[in-house]
């Protein structure tokens, strides 16, 4: 199970990268870090610089068909920068077109707004995104984690880093379920 983690060269909230990364590895998956530039990405603890991480592939880094799912970590600056890169937006949109599971936490649903994939979908996010999500046709809910299967793929979303335990649990269960279902259909 290859899972793409997409982020900008800087601005990702470190724990929103590392906790889901460990969850994917914990279920036997292979997490891969994709970014819009080669080298390393700079993570943050809110507004303070944290660790840097090596980029495995530059977007598009293949197609959605090369991955079993996509995780979009948050941080305010991360998705705001990514949504300005059409390659990154197209890469995200492709996961919905291919019916692959996608997970996004905190501010990361801005990428889903930009990719225009939220019509009729229920999701959660950092509260300041609710108007953007509603304007994009999504149904915003205030829950620690929301799993939406009403659409072409499974969408797992969470509000903030304090919801990471629930988010990682849902990501592990839903991604494993989706991969097992795809394998049965092959």
């Amino acid at each position: 199970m290859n899972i793409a983690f997409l982020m900008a060269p800087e601005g990702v909230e470190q724990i929103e990268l590392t906790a889901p990364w460990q969850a994917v590895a914990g279920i036997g998956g292979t997490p891969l870090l994709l970014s819009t530039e080669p080298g390393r990405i700079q993570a943050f603890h809110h507004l303070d610089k944290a660790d840097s991480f090596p980029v495995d592939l530059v977007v598009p880094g293949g197609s959605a068909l090369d991955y079993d799912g996509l995780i979009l970590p948050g941080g305010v600056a991360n998705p705001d920068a990514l949504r300005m890169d059409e390659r990154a937006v197209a890469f995200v949109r492709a996961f919905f077109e291919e019916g692959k599971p996608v997970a996004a936490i905190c501010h990361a649903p801005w990428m889903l707004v930009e990719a225009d994939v939220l019509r009729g979908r229920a999701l959660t996010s950092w509260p300041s995104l609710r108007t953007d999500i509603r304007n994009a046709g999504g149904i915003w809910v205030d829950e620690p984690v929301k799993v939406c299967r009403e659409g072409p793929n499974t969408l797992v979303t969470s509000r903030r880093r304090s919801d990471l335990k629930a988010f990682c649990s849902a990501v592990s269960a839903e991604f494993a379920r989706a991969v097992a279902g795809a394998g049965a259909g092959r």
Side-chain angles (χ1 to χ4, degrees):
M1 176 173 29
N2 291 323
I3 305 298
F5 280 71
L6 177 61
M7 60 210 73
E10 67 176 22
V12 69
E13 184 69 30
Q14 182 162 314
I15 192 69
E16 294 175 8
L17 162 62
T18 58
W21 187 282
Q22 292 167 352
V24 166
I27 59 170
T30 302
L32 297 159
L33 194 154
L34 282 74
S35 188
T36 55
E37 296 178 13
R40 298 181 74 81
I41 61 106
Q42 178 64 58
F44 283 77
H45 294 300
H46 190 55
L47 298 175
D48 298 321
K49 281 188 176 181
D51 298 322
S52 68
F53 298 88
V55 172
D56 294 312
L57 296 163
V58 175
V59 172
S63 78
L65 295 172
D66 298 327
Y67 304 95
D68 297 298
L70 171 66
I71 296 180
L72 300 168
V76 178
N78 177 50
D80 194 47
L82 277 178
R83 67 194 295 205
M84 298 303 293
D85 188 304
E86 184 49 43
R87 299 167 305 156
V89 174
F91 186 71
V92 169
R93 188 179 305 116
F95 280 83
F96 287 79
E97 292 167 353
E98 295 298 332
K100 306 270 180 135
V102 173
I105 186 168
C106 195
H107 287 78
W110 263 338
M111 280 299 287
L112 308 179
V113 168
E114 197 67 34
D116 195 23
V117 294
L118 294 182
R119 285 181 193 15
R121 305 299 299 267
L123 67 151
T124 193
S125 68
W126 184 256
S128 66
L129 275 65
R130 74 177 156 251
T131 300
D132 295 334
I133 288 168
R134 288 177 180 151
N135 287 343
I139 303 157
W140 189 83
V141 298
D142 187 11
E143 300 173 12
V145 67
K146 179 64 180 169
V147 177
C148 179
R149 296 184 193 96
E150 306 291 322
N153 66 335
T154 299
L155 176 60
V156 180
T157 53
S158 222
R159 302 173 299 189
R160 58 183 60 101
R161 64 178 168 222
S162 62
D163 298 330
L164 272 167
K165 185 175 181 180
F167 180 70
C168 290
S169 178
V171 164
S172 296
E174 295 300 323
F175 280 42
R177 180 178 177 267
V179 170
R186 290 181 188 161

